[in-house]
Amino acid sequence: MKTNKLDSFERFVNDSLSGEEVAYNPSDWDDLSTRLNNVPTKPFYKNGWFIGGAAAVIISAGAFVYQTNKQKEAPIDIVEKTEQINFTEQIVNSENSVVENKSSIEVESNNNITKEKINTSSETISREEIIEEVTTNHQIPKEPAIVSSFTNQDEEESRPLNNNREETKVSIPVADYKASSNLIGCKGLTVSFKAVEQKDVNYLWSFGDGTYSSIIAPKHTYNTAGEYKVELIVQSTIDERILTKSSLLQTVIVHKDPELEILADEYLDKGCPMVSYSFIGDEVSSVYWNLGNGTLTKEKTVKSAYKKRGNYNVLLQAIGLNGCKSTVKKSLFIEKDYNLLAPSAFTPDGDGLNDEFIPEALKLLNNQFTMVIQSRVEGTVYETSGVDRPWDGKNQKTGLECPEANYIWVVNLINDKGEKEQYTGAVLIQR
Amino acid sequence: MKLEQEELTEIINGCKKQHRLSQQKVYEMFYGKMLPVCNRYAKNSEEAKDILQNGFIKVFEKIDKYNFDGSFGGWVRRLIVNTAIDHYRKHKNVYLIEDESRIADSDPWYEEEPASKYEGISSEDIKSAISKLSPAYRMVFSLYILEGYSHQEIADELGVSLGTSKSNLAKAKANVKKILMKKLKK
C-alpha cells in the first residue's frame, strides 16, 4: 500500500478511523459458514414466512382447542397425541377420517348399534352435514346425508371426540373464500377477501404477513414486499372443535419498489456550477427527474446548471420493471450566484493590471454575445460583441475617461443550445 | 485476538486446505478490524456485512495465492477493499460524466489547516459524515485517505479520469468538512 502525502484534515480522518475495531459477532460466522457450505440461500419468503404463518395458525388453532377443552371438560386426544406442528395437517386429515366414520355409522346403524359401539368410532364429521346420534335410545337415520366423495387412504387412528348424551346437529364449516382479482401489486396493495357465508361459524384469516382478521369479508393492505399465502380457518361455534382449513390458498405477491439512490456530482463548467446526475437502481424501466431548477427530464443521466445561489430539491422518480414506483429526494446547496464570473471592479489607469473589463466566462464560452455598459448619468457608454474588445473604461462616443463610479453591465448571449440568456451586474471603476 | 506467528501460519495452512475451523479463526481474527473498513464503503451496515462476507469468501478462495510474503492482515485487507470496489462497480450502472475542468489544487479547502480546528470531533462524527457522501465521493474519499490509494490507482480501479478522482476527493472532503463544522457549531 502506497501512502499518500496527507494534509492535516486527511491525517486527522485517517488517525481517527485507523484504530477502529468492533466486537466479534459469532452469528455472522454462521451466515458465512452457510455460504461456504454452498447451500443456496433462498429468499426470505420462500421459507421463513411460511413457517411463521403456519406457526401462527397452529397457535391460533391450538387456542381454539384449548377453549373447547375448558368448556366441555372433555379430554381431546388431538392435542395430547399430536405435536403442535402437525396440528393443521391433522385438521385436514380429519376430513378424511370423517368420511370413513360416517360410512361406519351407516353400517352400524343398520345393525342397531349400542352407545359403546358408537363411542369407538364417533368422529362423525362430514364435509357438509352430519347428523350425530349419540344416545342409544335414538334411532339413527337410515339415510344419512353422504356428501363427500373423499376416499380414505390413510389409516386414521380413531380419536373419540364426542360423548354427549344429547342430539346435536353440526354443520361442518366450509373454508372456501374468494379474493379480489388484484393479487399482484406493489406496496400498499389492498386485497379483499370473502369467505363463503354460513351459519354458526367463526372465521379466522391469516393474511400471511403475521396479521389476522376474524370477519367474514376482510380487506387487507400489504405494505411489505413478499409473497403471502392467505389462509382461512372456519370454526363451528356449535362445536368449537370442528375446524376447517382452506385447502386452496391464494397467494398475494407484493413486488419490491425499486431501490434508488441519486448520485450527484457537482462540478464547474467554465465557472458555472453544474451537477451531473445519475442513479443507482436495479431493474428500473423509466425515470423522471425534477432537478429543482426548472429542468424536468426522463433521461437516465442528466446534467444541469445551477446559476442562482440557494437550496434545491432534486427529485427522482423511478418505475421498476415490475411496475412499482419509488421516489427519492436529494437536496443541493449552491453557494453563490453565477454571473459570468464578472469582476466587480477594475482599474483603467494604464498600469497594465486590470485595465479592462469583460466578464471572464465570456472568454471561456466562445458564444456570440453583446455587452452594453450603462452609466447612471450618461446612459450607454460602451457596447461590444467581442472578447478582444473589452471595456477600457472610456465613453465610446466621446472617447473620454468615465469617472470613478458604479456602472451597470448587461450581457445578452446565445448559449450552446441556441437559447438567449441575459446576465447583468455592476462594476466599479477605480483609478 | 493476539496470536503467535507460528499459530497464524498453522491457521493459514489450515485455510489453504479449506478447513472450516481455520477459516472461522481467520474470520474471528479479522472481523473486528475489517467490518469497519467495509462500513467506509457501504451505505449501511447490511451492505457492509455483505461486502465483508463476499470479501472473506474471496480470501478463502484465494488463500492459496498467499505465500507468507508480507503481512497477512494487509493481504486480507486488500482483498476486502477490492471486494468493496467490485461491489461499487457492480451497483453503479451508470458511469458519471467526467469533468476535468475542476482543478482540485486551486480549491480553497486544499489549504493546510491547523489540526486543532477539529478538536471535539469524534470518530463517530467522521463515520457518520462519510456515510452521508454519495457512493462516488465515498469511494474516492476512503480509498485515498484510509487505504492510501493514489489518484492514479483510484482512477484505474473506478474507471474514471485522474481529474475526476482529484475533484471527487476535494468535493468529498469539502462535504465532510461542512458536516463536521455544522456538528462543531452545535
Side-chain angles (χ1 to χ4, degrees):
Chain A
M1 190 176 8
K2 213 168 79 181
T3 311
N4 293 314
K5 193 168 163 267
L6 300 180
D7 67 26
S8 64
F9 172 71
E10 292 165 345
R11 264 200 315 278
F12 169 70
V13 171
N14 188 306
D15 291 350
S16 305
L17 299 182
S18 59
E20 208 192 340
E21 199 163 346
V22 296
Y24 178 60
N25 179 356
S27 73
D28 284 354
W29 165 256
D30 298 340
D31 295 344
L32 179 60
S33 175
T34 311
R35 285 185 61 188
L36 288 168
N37 285 336
N38 276 330
V39 176
T41 48
K42 289 177 193 163
F44 72 100
Y45 52 82
K46 290 262 167 72
N47 43 32
W49 81 269
F50 188 70
I51 293 164
V57 167
I58 288 156
I59 289 159
S60 15
F64 283 159
V65 170
Y66 175 68
Q67 237 188 353
T68 310
N69 228 338
K70 245 179 30 184
Q71 283 173 6
K72 305 240 164 170
E73 287 173 7
I76 291 162
D77 289 347
I78 282 183
V79 182
E80 287 161 14
K81 282 187 186 169
T82 340
E83 281 182 22
Q84 281 211 325
I85 292 293
N86 293 327
F87 184 68
T88 44
E89 225 169 277
Q90 293 284 357
I91 295 170
V92 177
N93 288 339
S94 70
E95 285 175 1
N96 291 338
S97 64
V98 164
V99 181
E100 187 192 42
N101 290 333
K102 175 170 274 299
S103 47
S104 71
I105 286 178
E106 236 184 319
V107 173
E108 285 162 358
S109 68
N110 292 336
N111 295 339
N112 234 341
I113 46 143
T114 61
K115 174 190 161 193
E116 283 70 30
K117 269 186 180 170
I118 289 179
N119 278 344
T120 59
S121 65
S122 63
E123 196 192 355
T124 46
I125 306 167
S126 88
R127 187 143 175 81
E128 279 177 15
E129 191 177 78
I130 51 150
I131 296 167
E132 197 179 340
E133 304 268 334
V134 214
T135 321
T136 339
N137 298 335
H138 277 111
Q139 186 93 39
I140 290 166
K142 291 262 173 186
E143 289 177 15
I146 301 173
V147 279
S148 181
S149 58
F150 287 113
T151 51
N152 186 31
Q153 281 155 3
D154 299 325
E155 274 306 312
E156 272 292 311
E157 55 180 312
S158 89
R159 290 171 305 200
L161 276 177
N162 204 340
N163 198 14
N164 289 350
R165 293 190 158 265
E166 56 187 86
E167 188 178 355
T168 47
K169 186 176 175 180
V170 182
S171 290
I172 291 300
V174 180
D176 291 343
Y177 65 88
K178 285 183 183 156
S180 52
S181 55
N182 56 329
L183 291 175
I184 300 176
C186 305
K187 281 182 197 173
L189 174 70
T190 300
V191 187
S192 308
F193 300 98
K194 190 170 188 308
V196 171
E197 202 173 340
Q198 48 209 303
K199 275 185 192 166
D200 304 325
V201 293
N202 290 324
Y203 300 96
L204 175 74
W205 296 87
S206 161
F207 296 117
D209 59 354
T211 58
Y212 300 90
S213 172
S214 58
I215 61 175
I216 178 164
K219 269 187 181 178
H220 185 61
T221 301
Y222 290 89
N223 290 316
T224 314
E227 247 180 83
Y228 306 98
K229 292 233 153 98
V230 179
E231 190 169 58
L232 170 64
I233 292 177
V234 182
Q235 177 196 33
S236 165
T237 50
I238 294 169
D239 186 338
E240 291 172 331
R241 289 161 297 175
I242 299 176
L243 309 164
T244 313
K245 194 184 103 171
S246 46
S247 49
L248 278 172
L249 305 184
Q250 299 273 18
T251 304
V252 176
I253 298 173
V254 180
H255 291 311
K256 272 188 188 171
D257 290 346
E259 272 183 37
L260 267 191
E261 191 179 346
I262 295 178
L263 301 177
D265 264 11
E266 299 172 37
Y267 63 98
L268 296 175
D269 183 10
K270 289 160 183 146
C272 179
M274 300 283 293
V275 182
S276 93
Y277 294 101
S278 56
F279 64 91
I280 303 179
D282 289 336
E283 307 202 328
V284 167
S285 78
S286 66
V287 296
Y288 185 73
W289 292 93
N290 180 343
L291 299 182
N293 60 354
T295 306
L296 308 172
T297 178
K298 291 184 168 179
E299 298 291 320
K300 297 228 160 151
T301 63
V302 56
K303 50 183 176 173
S304 192
Y306 289 83
K307 291 176 180 170
K308 289 279 171 229
R309 178 183 200 278
N311 275 309
Y312 295 87
N313 280 328
V314 179
L315 291 171
L316 169 65
Q317 188 180 77
I319 298 173
L321 295 173
N322 56 21
C324 298
K325 220 186 262 181
S326 298
T327 305
V328 283
K329 196 176 106 172
K330 192 177 180 91
S331 34
L332 171 74
F333 179 68
I334 298 296
E335 281 167 31
K336 56 181 182 182
D337 289 342
Y338 166 70
N339 209 6
L340 294 178
L341 311 176
S344 57
F346 72 120
T347 56
D349 53 8
D351 66 352
L353 280 171
N354 298 325
D355 284 341
E356 293 163 336
F357 169 80
I358 188 101
E360 288 300 310
L362 292 176
K363 297 182 192 168
L364 304 167
L365 284 173
N366 211 16
N367 293 119
Q368 213 185 343
F369 75 93
T370 59
M371 177 174 76
V372 176
I373 309 287
Q374 287 173 327
S375 141
R376 209 166 298 165
V377 190
E378 298 164 85
T380 300
V381 293
Y382 194 82
E383 271 188 74
T384 180
S385 56
V387 285
D388 52 334
R389 281 174 286 122
W391 184 32
D392 53 7
K394 287 177 182 160
N395 186 319
Q396 216 167 10
K397 294 169 201 154
T398 61
L400 297 173
E401 283 186 352
C402 292
E404 284 189 34
N406 259 314
Y407 295 82
I408 303 295
W409 58 267
V410 179
V411 169
N412 283 295
L413 63 79
I414 310 285
N415 70 16
D416 293 337
K417 293 176 190 157
E419 299 155 348
K420 285 181 184 170
E421 289 180 2
Q422 187 176 70
Y423 297 88
T424 181
V427 61
L428 177 71
I429 290 189
Q430 285 177 316
R431 287 202 171 82
Chain B
M1 207 198 286
K2 192 88 187 150
L3 286 174
E4 296 298 323
Q5 187 58 42
E6 282 167 36
E7 208 176 333
L8 180 64
T9 306
E10 200 176 295
I11 289 171
I12 292 170
N13 283 329
C15 286
K16 288 188 180 206
K17 291 177 193 139
Q18 303 296 326
H19 288 168
R20 192 52 40 88
L21 206 63
S22 303
Q23 292 175 338
Q24 185 176 1
K25 278 187 180 158
V26 166
Y27 186 72
E28 220 176 309
M29 211 183 316
F30 291 103
Y31 179 95
K33 285 262 185 215
M34 291 303 129
L35 186 57
V37 169
C38 295
N39 267 315
R40 300 292 81 75
Y41 298 93
K43 70 168 183 277
N44 53 38
S45 58
E46 209 176 311
E47 200 176 272
K49 278 200 176 147
D50 215 31
I51 294 172
L52 186 75
Q53 283 209 357
N54 290 334
F56 270 100
I57 285 174
K58 212 179 255 184
V59 165
F60 297 140
E61 274 171 9
K62 298 200 169 176
I63 199 147
D64 260 341
K65 301 217 170 82
Y66 177 70
N67 52 8
F68 300 93
D69 186 13
S71 127
F72 181 62
W75 184 80
V76 169
R77 185 178 179 128
R78 202 162 59 238
L79 282 180
I80 301 276
V81 171
N82 281 344
T83 310
I85 292 171
D86 289 346
H87 183 90
Y88 168 77
R89 280 199 296 228
K90 203 172 98 195
H91 287 80
K92 184 173 181 298
N93 55 358
V94 194
Y95 276 113
L96 293 167
I97 298 149
E98 289 181 31
D99 174 67
E100 312 204 15
S101 68
R102 282 177 286 175
I103 300 147
D105 302 63
S106 66
D107 289 328
W109 46 77
Y110 249 53
E111 287 160 17
E112 196 77 354
E113 306 157 305
S116 60
K117 196 174 162 188
Y118 300 103
E119 258 170 40
I121 292 285
S122 69
S123 59
E124 288 305 317
D125 296 333
I126 299 174
K127 282 189 273 181
S128 144
I130 294 175
S131 72
K132 291 189 178 108
L133 293 174
S134 81
Y137 287 1
R138 189 165 56 222
M139 286 310 287
V140 177
F141 187 93
S142 300
L143 286 176
Y144 186 90
I145 296 177
L146 302 176
E147 300 304 325
Y149 277 51
S150 69
H151 280 303
Q152 188 59 56
E153 285 165 331
I154 293 170
D156 294 345
E157 288 287 355
L158 302 187
V160 298
S161 75
L162 202 62
T164 302
S165 175
K166 282 184 185 175
S167 59
N168 279 3
L169 176 66
K171 274 285 181 185
K173 277 166 65 182
N175 285 349
V176 170
K177 282 183 191 179
K178 223 182 279 169
I179 295 164
L180 295 181
M181 283 301 129
K182 223 179 265 173
K183 185 96 196 166
L184 273 186
K185 276 179 201 147
K186 270 183 194 165

